[in-house]
């Protein structure tokens, strides 16, 4: 087997990411830890891909790959991903004599012990999040400040777990901190770019960036992401949620292009295409195909009369805002502000991000 | 006879990705020996299949900071950050420097061999060329800040049995490094 062997090539790619991450971690600052976590997640995926290239791998080889993946997720500071990977290791260990499995797991098992200890310690210190099964929308308004403190502890210990960024993003949406929500969603996506929830939330904030570009994501970045997603979806069909996100982001691109006097045909076609294909796709959220169909119908109408969209968004925002305790949300928008594409798109982002049925919470880890 | 190896020549023998991030740790580690003259003399205990017994080599590791910086513009700031130590776990410096120094040992003692992978969940740390799914080849690495050969012997004894017993490992070397005093071991454990 030489370096051009596809298995070895993937192993080398994975190894290089692990090595770089190992070198990043000791710097200890938040950015270095997060960068290391992203690299370890990429390495874990590459381990999976490498294993898939082996025809009929032995039980030992399968356990070895599972151990390596699990170690990457533990070192990648992803607690729920690790727990799922630990179950895989335990299941595959049963296929081998105990002495063989123990030898292979010699280095991993102490890492698992530390992870479990920290996990249970944090669970015991998170009564509000645990009581709501980590579903943000189930938390009473009066408890949300405390819940955010609990969430901060999870993010401090496990800054590589995408679920905490998704919850953080959801919490920030509630507080109308959409820039913060976007930052958190982008982190979740960087950690797990193939996860449908992460892709969906990322696309929602790509839509937001079309009208509200910032240093984290310019309009050009947002359009590039949209184009890349279109190419990816053509190459490999995805979960219905991804089409929903793609449809909304394409519609945002359409609104911006129209205001700027640019060509809109591509985005118009993408909205229609996503609506048509997405409603036929299975959804990690069982409501997703239905939502794609409903939103698709609405956007199809609005593509021909986008000014109606502003009116609809304004009406829906009034409903949402009247349901929110304004004492908790000092950054509520000014009544009567002018309707630019940016704030229409931002309100649209807020509406979809607030939708309870589109929240990932612990479903992601299941 | 003293063998000399310059850190910058690592780039001739191994893929850049294995080297560039470990060099700051190696320099921070070598700095802990109290030397500032761009070289450190290591006493290296070596056992290879060709040796009936362990042999002791004097190895001089040198570096040219300009040549290293040409490969990594942020080298000085990385080393400074590591040495300032505000948020740095000192043990991690030892571990990561040992990876870089193990690359030196591989170049010196296993000429022509290349690092092709890294393992985190199981031994060995570095995979070497020739690895297959069922037959893995590699180098297990450890670093200690202090303790000399006695500390390394303890590491050797704790790691060796499991490496020998693993049926998926067909070739394993142990590469163990101590900063103070500057001593190291490199042993072929298997076959």
């Amino acid at each position: 087997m030489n370096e051009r062997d596809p298995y070895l090539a993937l192993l080398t790619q994975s190894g290089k990411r692990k090595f770089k991450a190992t070198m990043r971690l000791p710097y200890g600052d938040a950015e270095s830890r997060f960068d290391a976590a992203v690299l370890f997640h990429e390495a874990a995926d590459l381990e999976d891909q490498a294993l898939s290239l082996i025809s009929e791998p032995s039980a030992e080889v399968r356990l070895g790959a599972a151990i390596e993946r699990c170690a990457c997720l533990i070192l990648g500071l992803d607690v729920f991903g690790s727990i799922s990977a630990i179950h895989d290791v335990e299941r595959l260990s049963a296929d081998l004599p105990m002495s063989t499995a123990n030898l292979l797991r010699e280095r991993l098992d102490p890492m698992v012990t530390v992870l479990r200890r920290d996990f249970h310690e944090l669970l015991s210190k998170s009564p509000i999040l645990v009581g709501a099964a980590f579903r943000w929308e189930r938390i009473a308004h009066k408890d949300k400040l405390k819940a955010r403190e609990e969430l901060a502890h999870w993010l401090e210990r496990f800054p590589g777990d995408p679920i905490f960024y998704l919850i953080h993003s959801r919490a920030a949406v509630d507080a109308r901190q959409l820039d913060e929500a976007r930052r958190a969603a982008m982190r979740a996506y960087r950690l797990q770019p193939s996860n449908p929830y992460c892709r969906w939330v990322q696309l929602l904030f790509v839509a937001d960036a079309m009208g509200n570009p910032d240093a984290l994501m310019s309009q050009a970045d947002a359009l590039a992401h949209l184009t890349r997603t279109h190419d990816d979806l053509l190459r490999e069909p995805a979960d219905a949620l991804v089409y929903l996100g793609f449809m909304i982001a394409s519609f945002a691109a359409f609104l911006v292009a129209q205001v700027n006097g640019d060509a809109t045909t591509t985005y118009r076609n993408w909205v229609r295409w996503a609506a048509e294909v997405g409603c036929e796709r299975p959804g990690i959220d069982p409501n997703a195909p239905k939502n794609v169909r409903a939103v698709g119908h609405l956007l199809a109408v609005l593509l021909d009369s986008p000014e109606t969209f502003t009116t609809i968004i304004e009406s829906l925002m009034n409903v949402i805002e009247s349901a929110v305790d304004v004492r908790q949300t000092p950054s509520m928008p000014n009544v009567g502000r002018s309707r630019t594409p940016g704030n229409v798109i931002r309100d649209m982002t807020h509406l979809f991000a607030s939708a309870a049925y589109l929240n990932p919470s612990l479903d992601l880890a299941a | 006879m003293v063998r000399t190896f310059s850190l910058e020549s690592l780039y001739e023998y191994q893929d850049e990705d294995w080297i560039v991030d470990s060099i700051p740790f190696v320099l921070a580690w070598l700095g802990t020996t109290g030397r500032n003259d761009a070289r450190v003399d290591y006493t290296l205990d070596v056992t290879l299949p060709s040796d009936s017994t362990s042999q002791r080599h004097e190895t001089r590791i040198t570096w040219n900071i300009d040549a290293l910086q040409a490969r990594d513009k942020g080298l000085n700031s990385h080393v400074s950050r590591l040495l300032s130590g505000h948020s740095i776990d000192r043990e991690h410096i030892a571990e990561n420097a040992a990876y870089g120094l193990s690359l030196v040992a591989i170049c010196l003692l296993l000429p022509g061999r290349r690092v092709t992978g890294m393992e985190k969940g199981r031994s060995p740390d570095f995979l070497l060329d020739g690895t297959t799914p069922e037959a893995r080849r590699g180098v297990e690495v450890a670093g200690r800040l202090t303790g000399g050969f006695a500390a390394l012997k303890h590491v050797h004894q704790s790691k060796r049995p499991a490496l020998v017993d693993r049926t998926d490992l067909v070739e394993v070397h142990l590469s163990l490094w101590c900063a103070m005093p500057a001593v190291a071991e490199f042993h072929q454990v298997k076959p």
Side-chain angles (χ1 to χ4, degrees):
Chain A
M1 190 171 281
N2 60 43
E3 283 186 56
R4 276 179 285 183
D5 179 285
Y7 167 78
L8 198 56
L10 286 174
L11 221 56
T12 300
Q13 287 178 39
S14 167
K16 285 180 176 179
R17 282 166 174 79
K18 287 182 236 176
F19 188 72
K20 201 169 193 58
T22 302
M23 298 295 148
R24 291 288 286 161
L25 270 179
Y27 287 98
D29 60 284
E31 281 311 302
S32 298
R33 291 175 81 213
F34 181 74
D35 289 345
V38 170
L39 289 162
F40 274 126
H41 278 75
E42 290 173 0
D45 287 345
L46 288 162
E47 294 290 328
D48 271 353
Q49 289 175 38
L51 181 67
S52 72
L53 295 180
I54 305 172
S55 59
E56 299 181 27
S58 67
E60 203 166 341
V61 168
R62 279 187 284 123
L63 176 59
I67 286 171
E68 208 45 42
R69 185 172 181 280
C70 185
C72 286
L73 292 172
I74 292 175
L75 293 168
L77 306 165
D78 178 348
V79 64
F80 287 112
S82 299
I83 288 169
S84 168
I86 291 165
H87 289 155
D88 289 341
V89 169
E90 284 169 351
R91 179 173 51 79
L92 292 165
S93 295
D95 296 339
L96 285 165
M98 193 186 290
S99 58
T100 306
N102 285 345
L103 266 177
L104 283 169
R105 290 169 56 168
E106 193 194 22
R107 195 191 277 185
L108 180 73
D109 283 345
M111 293 160 68
V112 170
T113 303
V114 172
L115 177 101
R116 284 189 165 136
R117 183 199 65 202
D118 291 357
F119 177 58
H120 289 295
E121 191 181 316
L122 277 171
L123 279 179
S124 69
K125 291 179 179 170
S126 310
I128 295 170
L129 286 174
V130 171
F134 286 82
R135 294 201 73 107
W136 189 257
E137 72 281 4
R138 287 185 190 165
I139 297 169
H141 213 84
K142 65 180 176 55
D143 292 332
K144 284 195 168 165
L145 200 60
K146 180 80 177 89
R148 280 189 86 155
E149 286 172 16
E150 291 178 3
L151 187 59
H153 292 307
W154 286 94
L155 277 167
E156 166 62 26
R157 171 61 182 86
F158 296 112
D161 197 326
I163 195 161
F164 298 124
Y165 291 107
L166 291 172
I167 298 171
H168 182 66
S169 178
R170 180 66 179 78
V173 167
D174 258 11
R176 290 198 70 84
Q177 299 164 333
L178 284 202
D179 292 328
E180 180 66 22
R182 193 200 297 181
R183 268 194 292 278
M186 285 172 74
R187 293 209 154 202
Y189 178 76
R190 277 188 64 197
L191 287 162
Q192 237 175 30
S194 60
N195 180 286
Y197 273 117
C198 296
R199 290 179 81 182
W200 140 250
V201 178
Q202 173 73 356
L203 281 162
L204 198 54
F205 288 103
V206 163
D208 186 46
M210 299 279 179
N212 303 280
D214 62 11
L216 274 178
M217 192 184 283
S218 67
Q219 207 171 71
D221 292 337
L223 284 169
H225 187 96
L226 190 66
T227 306
R228 212 165 40 245
T229 304
H230 178 252
D231 295 345
D232 290 344
L233 289 174
L234 283 179
R235 196 169 45 249
E236 191 175 352
D239 188 278
L241 262 182
V242 181
Y243 290 89
L244 184 61
F246 177 74
M247 191 163 59
I248 292 166
S250 297
F251 186 68
F254 164 82
L255 288 178
V256 170
Q258 197 186 54
V259 167
N260 292 342
D262 297 335
T264 57
T265 312
T266 300
Y267 308 124
R268 185 190 291 269
N269 290 343
W270 284 357
V271 170
R272 291 186 170 135
W273 173 78
E276 193 180 311
V277 178
C279 66
E280 301 296 332
R281 296 292 308 160
I284 190 172
D285 177 331
N287 287 316
K290 200 168 61 187
N291 294 331
V292 171
R293 186 173 287 116
V295 175
H297 285 319
L298 174 68
L299 296 187
V301 173
L302 298 176
L303 284 171
D304 294 326
S305 55
E307 63 285 355
T308 315
F309 185 67
T310 303
T311 314
I312 291 173
I313 286 287
E314 276 178 348
S315 307
L316 288 172
M317 286 308 293
N318 287 337
V319 173
I320 278 214
E321 287 168 10
S322 65
V324 174
D325 182 352
V326 289
R327 286 167 301 176
Q328 298 289 328
T329 54
S331 60
M332 290 292 278
N334 297 326
V335 176
R337 64 184 173 157
S338 64
R339 309 305 300 180
T340 65
N343 56 37
V344 169
I345 290 169
R346 175 139 285 201
D347 287 347
M348 175 177 74
T349 307
H350 184 266
L351 276 171
F352 282 106
S354 305
Y357 54 81
L358 292 171
N359 289 324
S361 296
L362 273 187
D363 300 345
L364 184 71
Chain B
M1 192 181 92
V2 179
R3 289 199 282 189
T4 300
F5 190 92
S6 61
L7 286 177
E8 55 274 19
S9 66
L10 273 176
Y11 287 99
E12 293 169 31
Y13 302 109
Q14 301 291 340
D15 202 333
E16 178 172 357
D17 291 327
W18 302 116
I19 305 166
V20 68
D21 295 311
S22 62
I23 292 292
F25 289 89
V26 173
L27 294 185
W29 157 285
L30 296 180
T32 62
T33 62
R35 307 231 187 180
N36 298 310
D37 55 357
R39 72 173 206 205
V40 167
D41 294 330
Y42 254 90
T43 302
L44 189 59
D45 255 5
V46 181
T47 316
L48 293 174
S50 55
D51 303 329
S52 54
T53 54
S54 173
Q55 294 188 9
R56 194 156 284 190
H57 299 271
E58 293 300 318
T59 303
R60 176 165 295 167
I61 297 174
T62 64
W63 60 94
N64 177 319
I65 201 74
D66 293 334
L68 290 173
Q69 271 195 306
R71 297 281 190 165
D72 176 10
K73 298 269 184 286
L75 179 62
N76 271 347
S77 68
H78 287 137
V79 175
S80 301
R81 265 180 85 186
L82 291 172
L83 289 176
S84 69
H86 291 308
S87 59
I88 307 294
D89 180 343
R90 303 294 293 175
E91 278 303 312
H92 274 120
I93 294 183
E95 285 173 26
N96 287 0
Y99 288 125
L101 291 167
S102 294
L103 293 172
V104 171
I106 292 166
C107 294
L108 280 174
L109 302 168
L110 306 174
R113 301 298 298 277
R114 290 179 69 83
V115 171
T116 57
M118 182 186 216
E119 303 277 65
K120 297 301 290 186
R122 57 191 164 152
S123 304
D125 297 283
F126 279 139
L127 293 176
L128 291 174
D129 51 292
T131 286
T132 70
E134 307 279 354
R136 304 174 93 75
R137 300 170 183 277
V139 178
E140 176 73 355
V141 177
R144 294 290 181 270
L145 282 171
T146 58
F149 279 122
L152 300 187
K153 186 177 179 187
H154 179 72
V155 177
H156 186 151
Q157 287 172 342
S158 66
K159 284 181 179 281
R160 185 187 163 89
L163 295 170
V164 170
D165 289 346
R166 284 259 303 275
T167 54
D168 62 324
L169 298 179
V170 295
E171 178 190 354
V172 194
H173 307 264
L174 265 174
S175 174
L176 312 175
W177 296 79
C178 177
M180 291 182 292
V183 296
E185 289 187 8
F186 193 90
H187 300 295
Q188 182 155 352
V189 174
K190 226 174 168 181

